[in-house]
Amino acid sequence: MSATSPVRPVLPPDIKARKGGQPLVVLTAYTTPMARLVDPHCDVALVGDSLGMVLHGMPSTVGVTMEMMILHGRAVVRGLSRAMAVIDMPFGSYEESPQQAYRNAARLMAETGAPSVKLEGGQHMAETIAFLTARGVPVMAHIGLTPQAVNTLGGYKVVGRDAEADKVMADARACEAAGAFAIVLEKVPQGLTGRITAALSIPTIGIGAGVDCDGQVLVIDDMLGLFTDFRPKFVKRYAELGKLADAAIAEYAAEVRARSFPGPEHAFADVLPAKAKS
Ligand code: KIV
């Protein structure tokens, strides 16, 4: 692409077409500055409802609202020029009926400018996924560990071991048949991940699901070391920005207390310097 040709944004059919190709790179983003950092390197910027825990200090994603997703979704879309935004549908915004899901998905897309949404659930959400995709809402499905169901699952456990494997495979097939353009597999054992990836014609995107997916996603604050309340086994720390920030804030505090900040170079003179002679 030349320096002057416009950047074409990635769209759901582009993601679907990457099945079996170069792995898809996905990170969460919740703000414009993070979206700008993610955009040149990633195919998808996921405005995950993890923002409730990561940015807002909530104990789970259950309390995240449509308003929060719209606010952060808009901020992320503003920061993207190439990568595709996917907005999570928050708990309670889609489970009641396909009609409720359509109303809220359409609102998320119209009010943020994102071209797609993600929702949690397999076979029991297939009718809703089909309803949405038939009406112009591209859906990324999310199965395995579905964090919005933490209260029924009883914790953030691996999903799909032993007898559960057939159900997770059936969930994946149901999402594909319903028209999902891609599917997130969270905390699924890696052998099962490989079998699901081989069985589906749509890309699988793993988080804690091993290497045999068509792509990977991580929560950006986890991989940058900015969110340190807990650290799932599947998170690799690519940077320790939290520690850097702590050191910088400590240095600032010490300098303010010692009156060594601000220095003369950060202050404004009372008298303007004389104009240079021409
Ligand atoms: O909310 C989120 O960040 C997610 C990812 C963990 C896939 O759903």
Side-chain angles (χ1 to χ4, degrees), residues 67-208:
E67 284 64 35
M68 289 165 78
M69 296 311 299
I70 288 168
L71 192 70
H72 288 285
R74 272 187 195 147
V76 167
V77 169
R78 271 184 220 121
L80 300 177
S81 39
R82 185 194 153 270
M84 184 179 84
V86 177
I87 314 269
D88 255 344
M89 298 200 71
F91 180 67
S93 72
Y94 60 96
E95 299 90 333
E96 199 179 314
S97 65
Q99 288 78 6
Q100 181 215 21
Y102 182 77
R103 257 194 318 280
N104 285 319
R107 193 173 158 217
L108 286 173
M109 289 172 68
E111 294 188 28
T112 66
S116 61
V117 301
K118 175 164 84 58
L119 57 79
E120 296 182 6
Q123 295 161 83
H124 65 290
M125 277 298 141
E127 185 191 349
T128 295
I129 294 171
F131 191 90
L132 295 181
T133 52
R135 289 163 178 77
V137 179
V139 177
M140 179 180 280
H142 182 156
I143 64 167
L145 171 63
T146 47
Q148 292 174 5
V150 61
N151 293 311
T152 43
L153 293 171
Y156 298 102
K157 300 170 184 163
V158 174
V159 176
R161 285 196 173 122
D162 305 321
E164 267 180 354
D166 287 348
K167 181 185 176 300
V168 178
M169 175 63 88
D171 282 340
R173 288 190 193 279
C175 292
E176 176 190 40
F181 70 87
I183 186 162
V184 169
L185 303 179
E186 180 161 354
K187 264 192 148 177
V188 170
Q190 50 186 347
L192 177 58
T193 293
R195 293 199 296 283
I196 293 173
T197 301
L200 298 192
S201 63
I202 56 171
T204 57
I205 298 166
I207 176 161

